[in-house]
Amino acid sequence: SQQGEEDPQALSIQEGENATMNCSYKTSINNLQWYRQNSGRGLVHLILIRSNEREKHSGRLRVTLDTSKKSSSLLITASRAADTASYFCATDGTGTASKLTFGTGTRLQVTL
Amino acid sequence: DAGITQSPRHKVTETGTPVTLRCHQTENHRYMYWYRQDPGHGLRLIHYSYGVKDTDKGEVSDGYSVSRSKTEDFLLTLESATSSQTSVYFCATTGVGAANYGYTFGSGTRLTVV
């Protein structure tokens, strides 16, 4: 069973707009991570937020974490066509020996 | 994907045949993982390794076995391939555990069982 579930499943925006993706999970975590996957490629790590952190920034990425609601959001500001990809959240549960559990992903399409 | 090589990149095999996928890393990472990716399911963990000769099962391990005889190589074997094992298989590694760093992924192996 999936630990994380992303919402929406698909998102289409125009270049320059902001994109927000949400992730919900079920059990306690050590940290939550976001990954990007371009079509036909492996996943690329974007950002990690620990369970005691509430917000983290990396360039145009902003991640929030609400452990009381077991949810996270990824905001990509000023989207570019190159941001077109699938985005996955992944959780490192407590006591799971560094095993990540991935959600089903959000497919982001950024059009010119 | 620098430092992690998966082979083969594509393979078509017949039902009932054994298949071995290879993951080779030059990162000297301790932890290695095999995931499969299917539409609607995201990535699901098959097996993982936390050191040479130390492996354990993941969420969807039935029909798969693994071996790790040296730090850099992690092999995934489908004992007798079935059509339900048609998937894209990804290897991933991390050095000090996902608690502090993310995974590094290979480019994947697309396996088709006919």
Side-chain angles (χ1 to χ4, degrees):
Chain A
S1 62
Q2 299 302 126
Q3 162 75 314
E5 296 292 336
E6 285 92 340
D7 171 59
Q9 291 187 343
L11 179 62
S12 183
I13 60 173
Q14 290 191 321
E15 201 170 49
E17 295 180 336
N18 295 341
T20 300
M21 290 159 266
N22 302 295
C23 169
S24 60
Y25 58 92
K26 299 175 182 175
T27 62
S28 297
I29 62 171
N30 287 320
N31 67 63
L32 185 143
Q33 304 177 28
W34 285 90
Y35 288 78
R36 183 187 74 235
Q37 184 181 32
N38 292 92
S39 182
R41 306 291 298 274
L43 281 73
V44 175
H45 179 252
L46 295 176
I47 195 166
L48 179 154
I49 185 167
R50 292 187 172 80
S51 60
N52 61 353
E53 298 176 310
R54 292 298 168 257
E55 187 171 313
K56 202 161 184 179
H57 297 254
S58 176
R60 293 184 295 112
L61 305 180
R62 172 178 169 254
V63 170
T64 62
L65 178 64
D66 186 337
T67 53
S68 67
K69 296 182 179 178
K70 290 185 169 59
S71 67
S72 173
S73 67
L74 170 67
L75 168 67
I76 304 174
T77 59
S79 296
R80 306 165 181 168
D83 295 327
T84 294
S86 292
Y87 292 82
F88 294 87
C89 69
T91 53
D92 178 18
T94 57
T96 58
S98 298
K99 295 183 295 181
L100 287 182
T101 302
F102 287 82
T104 52
T106 292
R107 173 70 184 167
L108 173 66
Q109 178 76 42
V110 182
T111 57
L112 296 172
Chain B
D1 299 340
I4 299 177
T5 305
Q6 289 187 232
S7 59
R9 290 295 313 276
H10 302 272
K11 186 171 182 66
V12 179
T13 192
E14 293 186 348
T15 299
T17 60
V19 177
T20 295
L21 309 183
R22 181 180 184 235
C23 178
H24 177 78
Q25 58 134 334
T26 58
E27 308 285 342
N28 199 33
H29 283 171
R30 175 184 175 186
Y31 297 88
M32 299 185 75
Y33 310 83
W34 277 107
Y35 285 85
R36 60 178 290 174
Q37 185 176 30
D38 305 287
H41 290 279
L43 280 82
R44 292 179 290 174
L45 181 64
I46 306 171
H47 281 280
Y48 65 101
S49 170
Y50 44 93
V52 174
K53 298 192 190 305
D54 291 325
T55 65
D56 205 348
K57 296 179 180 180
E59 179 188 2
V60 290
S61 60
D62 287 349
Y64 302 94
S65 63
V66 290
S67 67
R68 191 170 179 198
S69 59
K70 46 186 178 178
T71 299
E72 54 267 37
D73 289 325
F74 193 32
L75 303 180
L76 176 71
T77 297
L78 288 66
E79 307 290 346
S80 176
T82 67
S83 58
S84 64
Q85 293 176 311
T86 291
S87 186
V88 181
Y89 291 86
F90 287 100
C91 174
T93 72
T94 189
V96 294
N100 295 312
Y101 299 95
Y103 286 6
T104 302
F105 277 83
S107 298
T109 294
R110 183 174 295 275
L111 177 68
T112 302
V113 183
V114 297

